[in-house]
Amino acid sequence: MTTGQARNKGRSPEQLDEAFRQEVADVFCQTLLLARFHDIDLMDAVNDKCLAWAEPGIDS
């Protein structure tokens, strides 16, 4: 909806932005809970997956 690829269902741009922020927060919280349940260190996982190319010390 925020990119115009779906009907806005009468919502203002501000309401769409807020709904999008809430959805992103939901996904983030569910990811944290999933990682906690499976005893995954997210910082290590992110460093291994996404920051492996970074220079040493760049993640601090």
Side-chain angles (χ1 to χ4, degrees):
M1 286 183 212
T2 60
T3 62
Q5 295 182 351
R7 292 178 290 125
N8 64 17
K9 299 181 182 177
R11 296 180 188 161
S12 70
E14 294 79 16
Q15 290 171 320
L16 293 174
D17 287 343
E18 178 59 26
F20 182 70
R21 282 193 294 276
Q22 292 296 322
E23 287 298 321
V24 170
D26 285 345
V27 170
F28 181 68
C29 290
Q30 290 300 316
T31 301
L32 292 175
L33 290 170
L34 184 65
R36 182 178 177 186
F37 182 81
H38 290 284
D39 197 30
I40 296 170
D41 183 327
L42 280 179
M43 289 302 295
D44 285 344
V46 169
N47 282 329
D48 291 346
K49 178 74 176 179
C50 301
L51 300 178
W53 53 266
E55 296 175 28
I58 201 165
D59 62 334
S60 55

